[in-house]
Amino acid sequence: DSGARLTPEQFEEIVLNGGDDVVVLDTRNYFEVDYGRFKNAEHLDIARFRDFPKAFLEKYGEMKDKTYLMYCTGGVRCEKTIPFAQKHGFSKVYQLDGGIINYHQTCGDKAGERSKFVSDQRWAITPELKQAPEAPHPDRI
């Protein structure tokens, strides 16, 4: 079981109105996050996805009572992060069904900040699902 899936509408509602007990977690690499993320989203500042398990437990290992909303580009990474979190005692973990791409197709970008990086094509997309012109954050280059 890869955890409960939230529709883009459900995800957006929680992102925009969630309380202090909700952590919106971007599971992508730092260079993807630099292009844009959801409002109030946290991230682990990782260079490679394989760094996720250690970074996640170091940052959130003592906060298992919170609710975690995880997302990635298309939902594939969450297929691994959700069961990992559950295995380590996190019971309230959810994923954005279909990831950022499904969110943009369904809701636009009300809950987003800037463009989102699409790892498969190595470029960012706008909320209209077009290639974004901007480069990653200059401090990262």
Side-chain angles (χ1 to χ4, degrees), residues 101-122:
I101 293 173
N102 187 35
Y103 172 79
H104 282 319
Q105 289 173 325
T106 306
C107 296
D109 198 36
K110 185 176 178 183
E113 293 180 351
R114 298 181 36 227
S115 302
K116 309 297 184 297
F117 187 83
V118 180
S119 59
D120 293 343
Q121 289 85 15
R122 298 288 180 224

Side-chain angles (χ1 to χ4, degrees), residues 86-98:
Q86 290 171 328
K87 178 181 173 185
H88 286 87
F90 296 82
S91 60
K92 297 181 282 186
V93 289
Y94 305 89
Q95 72 182 81
L96 171 58
D97 192 30

Side-chain angles (χ1 to χ4, degrees), residues 1-122:
D1 180 15
S2 61
R5 295 172 188 272
L6 299 176
T7 66
E9 295 88 355
Q10 291 169 318
F11 185 86
E12 179 179 84
E13 175 68 23
I14 298 170
V15 167
L16 295 176
N17 301 308
D20 292 338
D21 64 329
V22 175
V23 175
V24 178
L25 182 60
D26 191 325
T27 65
R28 300 170 305 150
N29 304 332
Y30 71 80
F31 55 87
E32 296 167 294
V33 172
D34 282 349
Y35 276 98
R37 57 185 172 184
F38 287 103
K39 291 177 180 165
N40 303 315
E42 297 183 13
H43 63 92
L44 298 171
D45 201 31
I46 56 176
R48 291 171 303 281
F49 182 63
R50 69 175 174 234
D51 298 331
F52 178 88
K54 181 180 180 204
F56 177 76
L57 291 177
E58 284 176 359
K59 186 168 184 176
Y60 301 110
E62 301 299 319
M63 295 185 275
K64 294 180 180 168
D65 58 326
K66 290 189 179 268
T67 298
Y68 292 85
L69 276 60
M70 297 188 193
Y71 70 91
C72 58
T73 303
V76 176
R77 291 179 194 175
C78 291
E79 294 296 325
K80 294 181 180 187
T81 60
I82 299 293
F84 173 82
Q86 290 171 328
K87 178 181 173 185
H88 286 87
F90 296 82
S91 60
K92 297 181 282 186
V93 289
Y94 305 89
Q95 72 182 81
L96 171 58
D97 192 30
I100 291 167
I101 293 173
N102 187 35
Y103 172 79
H104 282 319
Q105 289 173 325
T106 306
C107 296
D109 198 36
K110 185 176 178 183
E113 293 180 351
R114 298 181 36 227
S115 302
K116 309 297 184 297
F117 187 83
V118 180
S119 59
D120 293 343
Q121 289 85 15
R122 298 288 180 224

